[in-house]
Amino acid sequence: MAYDSPEQLLVKAQSLAGFTLGELAQQYEALVPKNLLREKGWVGQFLEYLLGAESASLAQPDFPSIGVEMKTLPIDATGKPLESTYVSVVPLINLHQVQWQGSVVQQKLAHVLWIPIIAEKHIPIKERTLAMPFLWQPTTSEIQTLRSDFEETIETISMGRVDTIDARFGEILQVRPKAANNKALTECMGPDGELIMTLPRGFYIRPQFTKRILKQHFN
DNA sequence: AAATGATCATAA
DNA sequence: TTATGATCATTT
């Protein structure tokens, strides 16, 4: 499926609003897991399937032809985000060629289709309801903050100080582990330019920021 | 309750 | 192995 414009994708996404995951799964003959313990990404992958995303696990927006990234967003009944939003892995090597402009983070966050889902933990997966999807683009000021969060992270890692980065880093974009487990290590540069092994990290959007995005759109 | 760190499935 | 999709689980 190819979309001519972000708006066309939006219309398709909005046609799903109000349905539960169970109803949508039945329509498409998909199986809904009882819980997300072993399939944490199921909801996002199902929605990508419904909307015809093409990027699979490539490091680029889900809909490259129209430059849109799709994100499901678990919210409670009052509209508060329940989780942070994963954006991309944090590059740890060959950082000399990493620039904000053109980075995976910049490309993905340039245009996002948010799909909020009422997903309080007490609600069975099948009963979780899609709220109204919407398109979002960061303001100039938001882009500046995203960019400085990104650049400060890259600069710290370039200095060989990845070990000083934890989840307190970053105003909007935080850095947290993104790995199979805490034994899965990857290469990085140490303080003296030597190769060290460290936990893979990911960029995540803080829930306080997605909360602001939702507020702007629904107030 | 919110924040931080840990973890699971799957594709290429 | 590293990227995607994230949520789980423990600590503050």
Side-chain angles (χ1 to χ4, degrees):
Chain A
M1 182 175 315
Y3 295 96
D4 295 327
S5 67
E7 291 70 28
Q8 189 184 20
L9 169 63
L10 176 65
V11 167
K12 170 70 177 173
Q14 290 187 333
S15 74
L16 306 176
F19 291 101
T20 64
L21 291 172
E23 289 168 339
L24 294 170
Q26 186 166 42
Q27 241 179 280
Y28 290 85
E29 299 181 7
L31 298 174
V32 183
K34 287 273 190 295
N35 60 65
L36 301 177
L37 272 171
R38 305 189 66 92
E39 289 175 81
K40 296 174 181 175
W42 185 84
V43 177
Q45 288 163 339
F46 181 51
L47 265 295
E48 284 189 340
Y49 167 72
L50 294 187
L51 296 177
E54 309 148 49
S55 291
S57 61
L58 301 181
Q60 61 180 26
D62 294 305
F63 299 91
S65 62
I66 53 172
V68 174
E69 171 70 10
M70 186 213 86
K71 291 291 180 198
T72 57
L73 180 64
I75 59 173
D76 70 13
T78 73
K80 186 185 70 170
L82 295 171
E83 287 290 347
S84 56
T85 302
Y86 169 71
V87 179
S88 78
V89 297
V90 176
L92 298 175
I93 53 170
N94 299 137
L95 298 184
H96 54 274
Q97 53 191 0
V98 173
Q99 293 291 123
W100 163 253
Q101 196 60 38
S103 66
V104 177
V105 176
Q106 182 266 321
Q107 289 188 60
K108 286 187 173 180
L109 298 187
H111 210 169
V112 178
L113 173 67
W114 292 100
I115 305 181
I117 300 176
I118 303 173
E120 287 157 324
K121 295 197 62 153
H122 67 84
I123 307 175
I125 315 297
K126 278 186 174 175
E127 308 299 324
R128 296 183 181 181
T129 305
L130 299 219
M132 190 58 74
F134 63 96
L135 289 167
W136 168 82
Q137 294 185 273
T139 64
T140 304
S141 141
E142 288 167 340
I143 291 172
Q144 282 177 358
T145 305
L146 289 165
R147 176 175 184 150
S148 78
D149 284 346
F150 178 87
E151 290 179 340
E152 283 172 25
T153 301
I154 297 303
E155 186 179 332
T156 303
I157 298 169
S158 299
M159 303 285 284
R161 295 294 177 191
V162 68
D163 59 323
T164 67
I165 297 179
D166 66 15
R168 282 159 281 242
F169 234 73
E171 191 175 323
I172 296 177
L173 271 187
Q174 70 175 171
V175 173
R176 304 219 307 279
K178 179 69 167 113
N181 54 61
N182 68 357
K183 309 287 186 278
L185 303 178
T186 192
E187 292 179 348
C188 190
M189 211 65 88
D192 300 312
E194 80 283 22
L195 204 59
I196 62 169
M197 300 304 282
T198 190
L199 209 50
R201 317 299 167 93
F203 282 116
Y204 295 79
I205 301 173
R206 294 184 182 279
Q208 285 299 338
F209 184 68
T210 45
K211 185 177 175 182
R212 274 170 47 196
I213 294 176
L214 289 168
K215 198 171 173 83
Q216 286 168 199
H217 277 266
F218 294 108
N219 282 3

